[in-house]
Amino acid sequence: MSCYTQPFSSPLTLLSSSRTFSSIQTDHYHPTPFQKYAHSRPLATTIPVPSLASTSPGTPSAKPLSQDSWVESLRSQVRSNLFRESILTYIQMVTLAGISPDNFAFPAVLKAVVALQDLNLGKQIHAHVFKFGYGSSSVTVANTLVHMYGKCGDMGDVYRVFDRMIERDQVSWNSIIASYCRFQEWKLALEAFQLMLFDNMAPSSFTLVSVALACSNLHWHDGLRLGQQVHAYCLRTGNWRTFTNNAFMAMYAKLGRVADSRALFEFFEERDMVSWNTMISSFSQSYYFLEALLFLHLMVLEGIKPDGVTLASVLPACSHLEMLDRGKEIHAYALKNINLFENSFVGSALVDMYCNCRQVESGRRVFNGILERSTALFNAMITGYAQNEYDREALDLFIQMEAHYGISPNGTTMSSVLPACGRCELFSDKEGMHGWIIKRGLERDRYVQNALMDMYFRMGKIEISIYIFRTMEVRDIVSWNTMITGYVICGHHDDALNLLHEMQKVETEKSKDGDFQDENRVLLKPNSVTLMTVLPGCAALAALAKGKEIHAYAMRHLLASDVAVGSALVDMYAKCGCLNLARRVFDQMPIKNVITWNVLIMAYGMHGRGEEAFQLFKNMSEGDKSDGLRPNLVTFIAIFAACSHSGIVDEGLHLFHRMKEDHGVEPASDHYAAVVDLLGRAGQLEEAYELIKTMPSEFDKIDAWSSLLGACSMYKNVEIGEIAAKNLLQLEPNVASHYVLLSNIYSSAGLWEKAMDIRKMMKEMGVRKEPGCSWIEFGDEVHKFVAGDISHPQVEELHGFLETLSERMRKEGYVPDTSCVLHNVDEEEKETLLCGHSEKLAIAFGILNTRPGTTIRVAKNLRVCNDCHAATKLISKIVDREIIVRDVRRFHHFRNGTCSCGDYW
């Protein structure tokens, strides 16, 4: 192992090196850095600098300055932060005045080197240390050298200087431990701390601060154990100060023990600005956003004025809670204190806050108002654009960042702009961006890898995303969340749930094995993003048990109050058929945003409870406007859908015609499509067709024509159906559902030849019909059934049960509706085909595998056909079960021979 990575071998020999200090001296002594400062023009200063004339031997009256005068002048300049001037004084003292530097001069000039971050100059000073005989005689000078190399970025020389020290004091050990921490060599820092104790050197408060930092960067199990031991030592020896308490608070928070951090904060009364900032930052980083805002309030009450760190730490809480008004108050405070507003961290946090609250223009105004633009500020603005899908603006700013401002993008920049690349249709060379990343050497950056996975998912190239994920050296929580999100986006909901299970299994197994040695390992603990990402998968598969398990996890880890998680829980319960539980979660949420309201309005609509949905809409639109909560585009889509499923035609039409005047929302193409569906479902096909003809020419009419075609299929209207299909096939010739619906219209009308022509056209175009598919959750698994599929292990038992059940249903008056079989075959074969519909197989599976009285919940990817609807009503009565079926449009609650939709769907 090299001296840069080799751990301490024993308390006697800290490290070994093949190079000697004499070789270092000859290798690194170059005059160039001294010449650079000697020829630079000194800045004006009021600090007295010895005149060169006073040291000129040719002037009889000249009185040479003493060594003490030179050294004091040098030290005075360093104390006044005149570092370049102090270097020039040092050069004049040594080269012109012939004064030898001593153990007071070297620490001063080395401090100037650290401030200037000039490693080459530092190495020349190091050579002077040997030249003038202080290489081994002064522990103070040696300590300053260790500090200089640690600060200027050469860990190898830190090792070598420390190893050659004959005498070491407390400062020596503090310097080496701090240097290890600076280079993120956390384990070596702790080994050095152990050797310090073996050397009978008592740690100081500064030592403990560095050790606490090292503990906080270990795996949480080891870090917490060692950190608690160090904390106990600190308390036992009475070696605690305010800054040590701050270090331990930060350590506990980073190791996931925010409650311990808060207890320590409240236990000690001697708190300073750093104490408050540490707690507020810890709360924000641990997603305890309400607590972060509470502590800001308490801080102000204590009479402590927030600084830049405070604002940069608390603004993310406003951002995540979407508390725009509170964020604006903080912005106003920053504007009153101009040094805060010009702080790049505060500026970046303000941009992030406004963009997260969907005030992108305000975020850009903040960006434009900051003259000193850093990489972090550009990253915040690019991220804000990308998150709000201002993809073109994100890409433009990314290009300007380097082309016009000369700021090189880093891994964070790339991880921010890649989502915009994936979505932006105008940006065609998406794989080229991947190549650019490789050329810049960023392809191993974990954050860039996460963003690349997301981009390829959005491009539909799932296999590339999986390859990147499986070949990552270290996967963090974002990596897993990205994969889960990608699967959900691509409709692979079962893969998303399986990956969540794998994620938890990996963490559990490694914890059981005691695998805490990998310093790069990160804790795979599902966070709010994981939950809000995977819950739609539970909703899509009607996996209620898994959804409840996730809800319980959210409650245990205080994540249920997060507005995004709460909204996802409302959606999950509603789509699993538990509308009452959805409403309960909604009512218990401390903060609701427009998405939360939209989800519940949509839920009531899908369950056929249009009146309640309308009442919710009124409550939302007539509520307190101070929180910025107003109906948006999606709200009106949700309420029109609710009206459609409940047959509330007149109220829906009135709202459509008044939405701009009463609510300031301009009707968009999606609203026209929703109202076409409202009219079409009510059988008003002519009115729906006329509404489409009134749509502005620039609007996308695909969804409107699709809604009309679906209504024509429902009411078997060939004439208007052909018009709708003709327009759709021109706009989307590769979408199977358009062909299928037109073929169904022809088949229902007995126009078999036309139906066959449409199916032949589909085949020639290479368009394939999506097979009917249903899901039902049982135990820890989601069982999938496809129409006509015989692969399920219980398939024979299921078909036998359905045949027996069919006989009982016939006695109850059931007559198979063979018009739902749109094939030109005999009636007996049609009845056989009906028996194999996926929802019937799923219902049969539920009846056979669950206890009597258990509610059966089934999800289907297509609309429930008339025959299955009629059959399920009778099945619910015969087996005395509630059967909840969610099709692509709405919910059907079957109970005691009736359906909640009232046969209107």
Side-chain angles (χ1 to χ4, degrees), residues 407-425:
I407 298 176
S408 297
N410 59 14
T412 304
T413 319
M414 299 314 303
S415 64
S416 300
V417 80
L418 280 171
C421 296
R423 288 189 303 263
C424 186
E425 295 180 1

Side-chain angles (χ1 to χ4, degrees), residues 63 71 87 147 230 303 312 325 349 404 412 426 430 505 547 624 759 776 785:
K63 185 178 181 181
V71 172
I87 297 297
H147 177 74
V230 174
D325 290 341
H404 297 295
T412 304
L426 295 174
K430 305 180 195 304
K505 187 178 179 182
D624 184 8
R759 293 184 179 272
I776 183 170
F785 296 91

Side-chain angles (χ1 to χ4, degrees), residues 423-492:
R423 288 189 303 263
C424 186
E425 295 180 1
L426 295 174
F427 187 81
S428 57
D429 191 19
K430 305 180 195 304
E431 289 91 341
M433 185 66 85
H434 193 172
W436 189 88
I437 287 167
I438 294 172
K439 287 181 180 178
R440 292 296 182 102
L442 297 171
E443 74 278 6
R444 308 308 298 175
D445 185 291
R446 188 194 312 162
Y447 304 106
V448 175
Q449 289 174 319
N450 293 338
L452 283 169
M453 286 190 295
D454 176 73
M455 184 185 78
Y456 281 115
F457 264 124
R458 294 181 186 279
M459 294 169 63
K461 298 186 177 183
I462 300 174
E463 293 303 320
I464 299 179
S465 295
I466 295 172
Y467 174 79
I468 294 172
F469 179 75
R470 296 300 177 191
T471 56
M472 290 178 72
E473 294 177 3
V474 180
R475 302 179 198 130
D476 61 8
I477 187 66
V478 179
S479 311
W480 291 86
N481 287 349
T482 301
M483 283 297 295
I484 292 170
T485 304
Y487 279 136
V488 171
I489 289 172
C490 295
H492 294 215

Side-chain angles (χ1 to χ4, degrees), residues 25 44 126 136 159 193 259 270 328 424 470 493 521 642 878 897:
Q25 181 176 343
H126 189 176
S136 58
Y159 278 109
F193 175 62
E270 296 179 3
K328 286 180 176 179
C424 186
R470 296 300 177 191
H493 302 292
R521 236 191 96 221
I878 292 170

